Structure formats: C-alpha cells, structure tokens
Amino acid sequence: MASQSRAEALSHPASRKPRSTQQQAILAASKVWSWIFLAALVAYFSWNGTGFFTLRNSQNILVALVPIILMGLGQTFVIISGGIDLSVGWVMGLASVMSAIVIRDQVNSGTNVEIAILMGFAVGIGCGLIAGLVSGTITAKLRVPPFIVTLGVSFVARGIGFLKAEGNVVGGQPVELRNLGNESLLYFVRGDEGGLYFLKKPDVIGAQLRLLDRVFTWPVVITFIIVLIGMFVLAKTQFGRHTYAIGGNKDASSRAGVPVDRHIILLYVLSAGTSALAGVLHTARFSGGAADAGDPIMMMSIAAVVIGGVSLFGGEGRVIGTVIGAMILAVLQTGLIMINVQTFYQYIVVGIIVIMAVLMDQARDIIIGRAEE
Amino acid sequence: MEPILRVENITKRFGGLTAVNRVNLEVNPGEVVGLVGDNGAGKSTLIKMVSGVYHPSEGAIYFEGKPAVINTPSQARDMGIETIYQDLALAGNLTMSANIFLGRERKKKYLGGAVRILDEKFMLQEALKLLETLDVHLPAPSAKIEKLSGGQRQAVAIARALYWNARLMIMDEPTNNLGVIEQAKVLDLIRRLKEQHVPVILISHTMRDIFAVSDRIIVLHRGRKVADKRTSETSNEELVQYIMGARDDFEAARA
Ligand SMILES: Nc1ncnc2c1ncn2[C@@H]1O[C@H](COP(=O)(O)OP(=O)(O)O)[C@@H](O)[C@H]1O
Ligand SMILES: [Mg+2]
C-alpha cells in the first residue's frame, strides 16, 4: 500500500509537494492583481481627485497611453520570446524626425499634402523597420545578447535623429497633419445646445471651444486597432505560437522546425515598427518631429509590459496585460497630479510597482517550479 | 533485407579530439539497437550526426538505401529521422498538443487564406487519439508541459515523433531522471514502436533497459565501435568488458 502511493507520487512529480493554500493564493494573485490594482486606482482617484472621472480627463489618459501601448505592444512580443528591445524610445524619436522632415520638404516643394503625409509616414516607419532589421539580424544570426545590440541601435538612432533634426524640433508641418493627430472620431459638446457628433466636428468657436471634447482621437483609434490585431496575432496565430515557443525553449523550437532566426528578426522589426508608428503619431499630434520624443516613454513602456505580467524569463504574457499595465501607469500619472502630489513622487511610486510586479513574476515561477530547473 | 540506416566509416572531430572514430552502423526495419558505452564514448555525437545536429568530418550516411545529406535537424525530420533528446526538446510553457504540432501547426483559413487561425481543436483531438494508441492517458490534456511528469513528457515527445511518421526513432537516455514506474512505461512505448515497425536506436546507461528491449547491442569505446552483438548472444558481464575497453572485436579489422 505504501509503495503503491510512492509509485503514484513518482509518476506525478507535480503532486509530490502539494501546493499550500498560501501558494495557491499567490498564484491566483499573480494573475489578477494588476486588474484589481487598476480598478482600485480608478476608484481612489475618482473619489479623491476632483474631476478625475470626467470625459475630458479620460480622453487625456487615452492620448497619453498611445505611445506607451504602441511601444509596449512590440516589446510584449519581444520579451515573450525571451529578448528585450532597449531601442524603442530613440527609434520612436528617429521616426518622428524623419517623417517630419519628409512632410515639411514635400509640402514646401509643392507635393499634394495628403501624399506628402503618406510619404512622411512611410519614411518614418521605414526607418523603424530598418532599425529593427538591424537589431534582429545581429541578435539572431550573431547570437549577441539583444540587450547590448538594441542599446547600440538605440544610440545610433539617437545620433541620427538629433543630427537630422539639427538639434531642434522639426516644424513647418501642414494643418492637415495636425488634424490627423488631434481630431477625433466623436465630438461631445456640453451645454444646452450640445450633444454627440460622429465624424463631424461641430461649429463651435471662441469661448465655446471650452465646451468641446474630442472623443477617441485618430491616434487613439489607430492604437486601438493595432492592439486588437496584436492580441489576435499573439493568441490565435502560428506567429504567436512560435513567439511563445521560442521564449519557452529556443533549442526545442529550432529542432521542431520553427524558423527561429527569421522569427526573432521579425520580432525586432515588429517592435521597432510599432515604436516608429508611435513616432509618426507624435509628429502628427505635436505638429513637429522630435528626436527625444520617445525618451521619457520607453522606460514607462517596459514597466507597463512587466506590470502586465509578461515574464522577463520569456514564454509568458499577454497583450491585454501590457494594456492594463500601461493604463495603471497613465492613471497614476494623471491621478497623482490631480491630487497635487509632486511629479517626482510618481517615479518612486512607479518604481515600487515595477519591483512588486517582478516579485510576483518570481514568486509565480518558484511556485510553478520553473526556476528550480 | 535492406537496412533503414547505414553509417559508413563515420568520424567526428572537435578540434584535436576525435569524438567518433570510423564507426560503421546498420539499423534494420523493426529493429531496436542498443547503443552503450562509458561517458564520453561518443554515443551522443554519433547519433547527432544522423539527426543533423553535427556534420560528419568523414564518412557517409545512407538512409533507406540512398546516400543522405543531412545538414540540419529539420532535414533529418523531413526524412523521417526523429530524435528524442536527453533534454526532451519540448517547450514547457506550451500544451501537449502545441508541442506535438510545434513548427507544423494546423491552421484554419479565412478570407481566402489571408487570415490563418490555429486549429486548436483539431490539434488537441489528433494528439489525444495518438496518445490513446500509445496507451497514455493524461489527467489534464490542456495543461502546460511543465506541469506533466517526466514520463508523460517522454510520451508526448514520442507521440510527436510518431505523428510525423517517424521512419527511425533515436532516443538518447530516455529513462534518465524518471521514477521506476515511468521507466517501465517508456520501455513499453519502445516496444509499441517496434510493434509498429519503427526501428529504434536506444542510448542508455541502464543495462537492464537495454537487455529488456533491444535486439542488438553496439558498444562504443573512446569513439570506436568495439562490439556489435545480438542481444540474445551476449551478457551483462561480457558487455562490461567491452565498455571498459578490455575487449575489442574490430581491432584486427582496423589495423
Ligand atoms: N560540441 C562539442 N565540442 C567539443 N567536444 C565535444 C562536443 N560534443 C562532445 N564533445 C566531446 O566528444 C566526446 C564524446 O562526447 P559524447 O558524444 O557526448 O559522449 P557520450 O554521449 O557517449 O557520453 C567527449 O569527450 C565530449 O567531451
Ligand atoms: Mg550523451
């Protein structure tokens, strides 16, 4: 009888040491804590921050989320595959500068404005894709740690960005571009004669402009669509499956016939690509290209990915997690300002949350037993 | 009867070290060949040349009678040479069926093939059918591999190879790190492969396992083949002498 149960135990090592309720609680908590935390933050600020839970403020948060989420989206794929992309911030800046230069010059030389904008976007995003191709190829083919490669690419992008922009913000952008960056899908006008307008900007002028809210600006709409595509690709397609597989066991993937090198290259192209998209959207929103556009955002985006439960060991994570992580950061940022907490405290709070998230990740790994292997 | 695999005078050097030295080897249809030898004798290196991980420094490989150029593991797999590695080569963060179909996922096509979604249901059902034929029953088929026991993982690795029409199965220390019951289960799986006429090369340190399932036993010593015997015509004591290097059946042939 005793030997029977021992044999049983041998054939199920997972059941050899049954998980305590405490461990199960940590496991469960590691999965849902970010959702609960976000809900708690929103509740807290709605209670304490005057005007936090307004249409205008929620729209401001969405606009602030755009670059964090776009950068975080590509990064999510890269980190799940076991890599990291430290170039995203300055690639975003380079794309912003290059798109602004092309649009300005094309408009000045008489090109049709829409075509000039398209050309600018294409060049900006193209620069990003090239940066990703370089990062990915060196990482995959020469087996250099991506940490180093993307750091190098980051400096190159930074240098080129500042050189091309001649140390300034690249201005001279057409009003059509500014509209693309700031106008919206919906408009809401407060007051008696107000209402909701779809796709059509109501005629309000002067003091009345204060009553106008832009709901879902175009960059927000674009980001929303890109996030949906990202979720779909990661969860439902072969590309997503291979991304997880490489993060879980690179050798096994390659032995199984997964084109590992090509896949890794594509992941860095994707990451630089979504960052470059953030760059051109920055140009549109601010009517100017700035080499340092992504600098303050990059660390936020990596923090968002980590808070969202993407494991830095690779193999684990979801796009929705990164979105939640980014929302936590954006809500914190605006919320703390509203309750008059000095900006610098934000950094400390964000830092503590990131460390908390990493501890959750570790705890989960130790309980599952992956870290022991 | 034509051998499935014939390896001729194969040699592998790593710098100044000759890990495998002019080895000849044949595997016939439905045969289980045990490959034994001390640590560092060259067993893993030998089979890695057959499975496309290493390129031979010299010598030739014939598969199903034809000269085989095996440059990559996936080329080997395309030919039907499946290897169950010591370290298993499964992705622990994926499910059993995701592992079985890894690299060859089944997809459903939409919009004329522009959108392709993983056909999880099909892959799970196929995988379960397959495990059924191996008499393997997983308590939670959609659990991640890292939650399974060593023997269950081994079964998944074997099932994967079988699904992709293995013509030759190579297993390097498949019973390592397994409990007693699980070891027996893996040996049982090897017998089932034999029933399905899939030849197996089995590397093991456990002589009991080798004697339990093999038809023929090949001994390597310091990169050279020193014995090639029918299992029924040798004994544990005799094999130990070959493994220690005290006997060598091919010394004369090499001279
Ligand atoms: N990739 C490699 N590079 C250099 N030496 C190696 C390599 N692989 C194996 N060897 C050496 O070749 C010899 C045979 O190793 P191996 O085939 O692993 O033996 P076995 O599997 O019989 O224990 C050992 O001396 C080992 O150190
Ligand atoms: Mg070995």
Side-chain angles (χ1 to χ4, degrees), chain A residues 207-242:
Chain A
Q208 287 217 295
L209 271 173
R210 280 182 28 240
L211 301 176
L212 175 73
D213 279 320
R214 295 179 175 81
V215 184
F216 305 131
T217 63
W218 296 120
V220 170
V221 173
I222 292 170
T223 303
F224 184 73
I225 294 169
I226 299 278
V227 164
L228 287 185
I229 295 174
M231 280 178 178
F232 169 79
V233 168
L234 187 59
K236 299 282 179 198
T237 70
Q238 186 177 43
F239 188 88
R241 175 62 46 80
H242 288 178

Short mmCIF file of all heavy atoms in Angstrom, two decimals, chain A residues 207-242:
data_model
loop_
_atom_site.label_atom_id
_atom_site.label_comp_id
_atom_site.label_asym_id
_atom_site.label_seq_id
_atom_site.Cartn_x
_atom_site.Cartn_y
_atom_site.Cartn_z
N ALA A 207 -15.12 81.18 -26.96
CA ALA A 207 -15.20 80.68 -25.60
C ALA A 207 -15.87 79.32 -25.55
O ALA A 207 -15.62 78.52 -24.65
CB ALA A 207 -15.97 81.67 -24.73
N GLN A 208 -16.71 79.05 -26.56
CA GLN A 208 -17.44 77.79 -26.57
C GLN A 208 -16.54 76.58 -26.75
O GLN A 208 -16.92 75.46 -26.42
CB GLN A 208 -18.47 77.82 -27.70
CG GLN A 208 -19.63 78.72 -27.37
CD GLN A 208 -20.91 78.13 -27.90
OE1 GLN A 208 -21.04 78.01 -29.11
NE2 GLN A 208 -21.80 77.74 -27.03
N LEU A 209 -15.33 76.80 -27.31
CA LEU A 209 -14.41 75.70 -27.53
C LEU A 209 -14.15 74.93 -26.22
O LEU A 209 -13.83 73.76 -26.24
CB LEU A 209 -13.08 76.23 -28.09
CG LEU A 209 -13.01 76.32 -29.62
CD1 LEU A 209 -11.75 77.01 -30.06
CD2 LEU A 209 -13.15 74.94 -30.25
N ARG A 210 -14.29 75.65 -25.11
CA ARG A 210 -14.04 75.01 -23.83
C ARG A 210 -15.07 73.92 -23.54
O ARG A 210 -14.84 73.04 -22.73
CB ARG A 210 -14.06 76.05 -22.70
CG ARG A 210 -12.74 76.81 -22.62
CD ARG A 210 -12.70 77.82 -21.48
NE ARG A 210 -13.55 77.46 -20.35
CZ ARG A 210 -14.56 78.22 -19.92
NH1 ARG A 210 -14.83 79.35 -20.51
NH2 ARG A 210 -15.28 77.83 -18.89
N LEU A 211 -16.21 74.00 -24.23
CA LEU A 211 -17.25 73.01 -24.00
C LEU A 211 -17.12 71.79 -24.92
O LEU A 211 -17.89 70.85 -24.83
CB LEU A 211 -18.63 73.65 -24.22
CG LEU A 211 -18.93 74.84 -23.31
CD1 LEU A 211 -20.27 75.47 -23.68
CD2 LEU A 211 -18.93 74.40 -21.85
N LEU A 212 -16.10 71.86 -25.80
CA LEU A 212 -15.94 70.79 -26.80
C LEU A 212 -14.95 69.74 -26.30
O LEU A 212 -13.84 70.06 -25.89
CB LEU A 212 -15.46 71.38 -28.12
CG LEU A 212 -15.12 70.38 -29.22
CD1 LEU A 212 -16.39 69.76 -29.80
CD2 LEU A 212 -14.31 71.04 -30.32
N ASP A 213 -15.37 68.48 -26.35
CA ASP A 213 -14.46 67.38 -26.04
C ASP A 213 -14.26 66.51 -27.27
O ASP A 213 -15.23 66.14 -27.93
CB ASP A 213 -15.03 66.52 -24.91
CG ASP A 213 -14.76 67.14 -23.56
OD1 ASP A 213 -13.65 67.66 -23.37
OD2 ASP A 213 -15.67 67.10 -22.71
N ARG A 214 -13.00 66.21 -27.55
CA ARG A 214 -12.71 65.27 -28.63
C ARG A 214 -12.65 63.87 -28.04
O ARG A 214 -11.90 63.63 -27.10
CB ARG A 214 -11.39 65.63 -29.30
CG ARG A 214 -11.44 66.97 -30.00
CD ARG A 214 -10.12 67.31 -30.64
NE ARG A 214 -10.23 68.55 -31.40
CZ ARG A 214 -10.19 69.76 -30.85
NH1 ARG A 214 -10.00 69.90 -29.54
NH2 ARG A 214 -10.32 70.85 -31.59
N VAL A 215 -13.48 62.99 -28.57
CA VAL A 215 -13.58 61.64 -28.01
C VAL A 215 -12.97 60.65 -29.00
O VAL A 215 -13.41 60.58 -30.15
CB VAL A 215 -15.05 61.27 -27.72
CG1 VAL A 215 -15.12 59.90 -27.06
CG2 VAL A 215 -15.68 62.33 -26.82
N PHE A 216 -11.98 59.93 -28.58
CA PHE A 216 -11.23 58.99 -29.43
C PHE A 216 -10.55 59.70 -30.60
O PHE A 216 -11.05 59.66 -31.73
CB PHE A 216 -12.12 57.85 -29.95
CG PHE A 216 -12.82 57.09 -28.85
CD1 PHE A 216 -14.18 56.84 -28.92
CD2 PHE A 216 -12.11 56.65 -27.74
CE1 PHE A 216 -14.83 56.15 -27.89
CE2 PHE A 216 -12.76 55.97 -26.71
CZ PHE A 216 -14.12 55.72 -26.79
N THR A 217 -9.46 60.36 -30.31
CA THR A 217 -8.70 60.99 -31.39
C THR A 217 -8.14 59.91 -32.31
O THR A 217 -8.05 58.74 -31.93
CB THR A 217 -7.53 61.84 -30.85
OG1 THR A 217 -6.61 60.98 -30.18
CG2 THR A 217 -8.03 62.91 -29.89
N TRP A 218 -7.75 60.33 -33.52
CA TRP A 218 -7.30 59.33 -34.51
C TRP A 218 -6.15 58.47 -34.02
O TRP A 218 -6.16 57.26 -34.23
CB TRP A 218 -7.00 60.01 -35.85
CG TRP A 218 -8.24 60.60 -36.45
CD1 TRP A 218 -8.46 61.91 -36.75
CD2 TRP A 218 -9.45 59.92 -36.77
NE1 TRP A 218 -9.72 62.09 -37.23
CE2 TRP A 218 -10.36 60.89 -37.27
CE3 TRP A 218 -9.88 58.59 -36.69
CZ2 TRP A 218 -11.65 60.56 -37.67
CZ3 TRP A 218 -11.17 58.27 -37.10
CH2 TRP A 218 -12.04 59.25 -37.58
N PRO A 219 -5.13 59.06 -33.36
CA PRO A 219 -4.08 58.17 -32.83
C PRO A 219 -4.62 57.12 -31.86
O PRO A 219 -4.15 55.98 -31.87
CB PRO A 219 -3.13 59.15 -32.12
CG PRO A 219 -3.31 60.43 -32.84
CD PRO A 219 -4.77 60.48 -33.21
N VAL A 220 -5.64 57.50 -31.08
CA VAL A 220 -6.23 56.53 -30.15
C VAL A 220 -6.93 55.42 -30.94
O VAL A 220 -6.79 54.23 -30.63
CB VAL A 220 -7.22 57.22 -29.18
CG1 VAL A 220 -8.01 56.19 -28.39
CG2 VAL A 220 -6.47 58.16 -28.25
N VAL A 221 -7.67 55.81 -31.98
CA VAL A 221 -8.37 54.82 -32.80
C VAL A 221 -7.37 53.88 -33.45
O VAL A 221 -7.54 52.65 -33.43
CB VAL A 221 -9.23 55.53 -33.88
CG1 VAL A 221 -9.82 54.51 -34.84
CG2 VAL A 221 -10.33 56.35 -33.21
N ILE A 222 -6.31 54.46 -34.03
CA ILE A 222 -5.29 53.64 -34.69
C ILE A 222 -4.66 52.66 -33.68
O ILE A 222 -4.51 51.47 -33.96
CB ILE A 222 -4.20 54.54 -35.32
CG1 ILE A 222 -4.80 55.32 -36.50
CG2 ILE A 222 -3.01 53.70 -35.78
CD1 ILE A 222 -3.88 56.41 -37.04
N THR A 223 -4.35 53.18 -32.50
CA THR A 223 -3.73 52.32 -31.48
C THR A 223 -4.66 51.20 -31.07
O THR A 223 -4.25 50.05 -30.92
CB THR A 223 -3.36 53.17 -30.24
OG1 THR A 223 -2.50 54.22 -30.66
CG2 THR A 223 -2.66 52.33 -29.19
N PHE A 224 -5.94 51.54 -30.94
CA PHE A 224 -6.92 50.53 -30.57
C PHE A 224 -6.94 49.39 -31.59
O PHE A 224 -6.92 48.21 -31.24
CB PHE A 224 -8.30 51.21 -30.48
CG PHE A 224 -9.39 50.29 -30.01
CD1 PHE A 224 -9.46 49.89 -28.68
CD2 PHE A 224 -10.36 49.83 -30.90
CE1 PHE A 224 -10.47 49.05 -28.24
CE2 PHE A 224 -11.37 48.99 -30.47
CZ PHE A 224 -11.42 48.59 -29.14
N ILE A 225 -6.94 49.77 -32.88
CA ILE A 225 -6.96 48.75 -33.94
C ILE A 225 -5.69 47.90 -33.88
O ILE A 225 -5.73 46.67 -33.97
CB ILE A 225 -7.12 49.42 -35.32
CG1 ILE A 225 -8.51 50.07 -35.41
CG2 ILE A 225 -6.93 48.40 -36.44
CD1 ILE A 225 -8.68 50.98 -36.62
N ILE A 226 -4.55 48.58 -33.72
CA ILE A 226 -3.27 47.85 -33.68
C ILE A 226 -3.23 46.88 -32.50
O ILE A 226 -2.75 45.75 -32.60
CB ILE A 226 -2.08 48.84 -33.59
CG1 ILE A 226 -2.05 49.76 -34.81
CG2 ILE A 226 -0.77 48.10 -33.41
CD1 ILE A 226 -1.41 49.18 -36.02
N VAL A 227 -3.78 47.32 -31.36
CA VAL A 227 -3.81 46.44 -30.18
C VAL A 227 -4.67 45.21 -30.45
O VAL A 227 -4.28 44.09 -30.12
CB VAL A 227 -4.32 47.21 -28.94
CG1 VAL A 227 -4.73 46.25 -27.84
CG2 VAL A 227 -3.24 48.15 -28.43
N LEU A 228 -5.82 45.42 -31.09
CA LEU A 228 -6.68 44.27 -31.41
C LEU A 228 -5.94 43.29 -32.32
O LEU A 228 -5.98 42.08 -32.11
CB LEU A 228 -7.97 44.74 -32.09
CG LEU A 228 -9.00 45.43 -31.19
CD1 LEU A 228 -10.28 45.72 -31.98
CD2 LEU A 228 -9.33 44.57 -29.97
N ILE A 229 -5.26 43.83 -33.33
CA ILE A 229 -4.51 42.95 -34.23
C ILE A 229 -3.42 42.21 -33.45
O ILE A 229 -3.22 41.00 -33.61
CB ILE A 229 -3.88 43.77 -35.39
CG1 ILE A 229 -4.99 44.36 -36.27
CG2 ILE A 229 -2.96 42.88 -36.23
CD1 ILE A 229 -4.47 45.30 -37.34
N GLY A 230 -2.74 42.95 -32.57
CA GLY A 230 -1.68 42.34 -31.78
C GLY A 230 -2.19 41.20 -30.90
O GLY A 230 -1.59 40.14 -30.82
N MET A 231 -3.33 41.43 -30.26
CA MET A 231 -3.94 40.38 -29.43
C MET A 231 -4.24 39.15 -30.26
O MET A 231 -3.94 38.03 -29.86
CB MET A 231 -5.27 40.87 -28.86
CG MET A 231 -5.16 41.77 -27.68
SD MET A 231 -6.84 42.27 -27.22
CE MET A 231 -6.44 43.25 -25.81
N PHE A 232 -4.82 39.40 -31.42
CA PHE A 232 -5.21 38.30 -32.29
C PHE A 232 -3.98 37.50 -32.72
O PHE A 232 -3.94 36.27 -32.62
CB PHE A 232 -5.95 38.87 -33.52
CG PHE A 232 -6.18 37.87 -34.61
CD1 PHE A 232 -7.21 36.95 -34.51
CD2 PHE A 232 -5.35 37.84 -35.72
CE1 PHE A 232 -7.42 36.02 -35.50
CE2 PHE A 232 -5.56 36.91 -36.72
CZ PHE A 232 -6.59 35.99 -36.61
N VAL A 233 -2.97 38.22 -33.17
CA VAL A 233 -1.77 37.54 -33.69
C VAL A 233 -1.10 36.72 -32.60
O VAL A 233 -0.72 35.56 -32.80
CB VAL A 233 -0.78 38.57 -34.28
CG1 VAL A 233 0.57 37.92 -34.56
CG2 VAL A 233 -1.35 39.17 -35.56
N LEU A 234 -0.98 37.30 -31.41
CA LEU A 234 -0.27 36.60 -30.34
C LEU A 234 -1.05 35.37 -29.86
O LEU A 234 -0.48 34.32 -29.60
CB LEU A 234 0.00 37.55 -29.17
CG LEU A 234 0.88 36.99 -28.06
CD1 LEU A 234 2.24 36.58 -28.60
CD2 LEU A 234 1.05 37.99 -26.93
N ALA A 235 -2.37 35.52 -29.76
CA ALA A 235 -3.15 34.44 -29.15
C ALA A 235 -3.61 33.38 -30.14
O ALA A 235 -3.79 32.22 -29.77
CB ALA A 235 -4.36 35.03 -28.42
N LYS A 236 -3.80 33.77 -31.40
CA LYS A 236 -4.52 32.86 -32.30
C LYS A 236 -3.72 32.35 -33.49
O LYS A 236 -4.21 31.49 -34.21
CB LYS A 236 -5.77 33.59 -32.86
CG LYS A 236 -6.75 34.02 -31.79
CD LYS A 236 -7.58 32.85 -31.32
CE LYS A 236 -8.54 33.27 -30.23
NZ LYS A 236 -9.03 32.13 -29.46
N THR A 237 -2.55 32.91 -33.74
CA THR A 237 -1.86 32.53 -34.98
C THR A 237 -0.58 31.76 -34.71
O THR A 237 -0.07 31.70 -33.60
CB THR A 237 -1.50 33.76 -35.82
OG1 THR A 237 -0.45 34.48 -35.15
CG2 THR A 237 -2.70 34.68 -36.02
N GLN A 238 -0.06 31.19 -35.80
CA GLN A 238 1.19 30.46 -35.75
C GLN A 238 2.33 31.38 -35.31
O GLN A 238 3.22 30.99 -34.57
CB GLN A 238 1.49 29.87 -37.13
CG GLN A 238 2.70 28.97 -37.14
CD GLN A 238 2.92 28.35 -38.51
OE1 GLN A 238 2.81 29.01 -39.53
NE2 GLN A 238 3.23 27.08 -38.53
N PHE A 239 2.28 32.64 -35.78
CA PHE A 239 3.32 33.60 -35.40
C PHE A 239 3.37 33.75 -33.88
O PHE A 239 4.43 33.73 -33.26
CB PHE A 239 3.04 34.95 -36.07
CG PHE A 239 4.16 35.95 -35.89
CD1 PHE A 239 5.21 35.98 -36.79
CD2 PHE A 239 4.17 36.83 -34.82
CE1 PHE A 239 6.25 36.88 -36.64
CE2 PHE A 239 5.21 37.73 -34.65
CZ PHE A 239 6.24 37.76 -35.56
N GLY A 240 2.19 33.88 -33.26
CA GLY A 240 2.12 34.00 -31.81
C GLY A 240 2.62 32.73 -31.13
O GLY A 240 3.40 32.78 -30.19
N ARG A 241 2.17 31.59 -31.64
CA ARG A 241 2.58 30.31 -31.06
C ARG A 241 4.10 30.18 -31.07
O ARG A 241 4.72 29.79 -30.09
CB ARG A 241 1.91 29.18 -31.85
CG ARG A 241 2.30 27.77 -31.47
CD ARG A 241 1.97 27.39 -30.04
NE ARG A 241 0.65 27.75 -29.58
CZ ARG A 241 -0.47 27.04 -29.84
NH1 ARG A 241 -0.41 25.93 -30.52
NH2 ARG A 241 -1.63 27.44 -29.38
N HIS A 242 4.70 30.55 -32.19
CA HIS A 242 6.17 30.44 -32.30
C HIS A 242 6.86 31.43 -31.35
O HIS A 242 7.95 31.14 -30.84
CB HIS A 242 6.61 30.67 -33.74
CG HIS A 242 6.26 29.52 -34.64
ND1 HIS A 242 6.53 29.50 -35.98
CD2 HIS A 242 5.67 28.33 -34.36
CE1 HIS A 242 6.10 28.35 -36.50
NE2 HIS A 242 5.57 27.65 -35.54
#
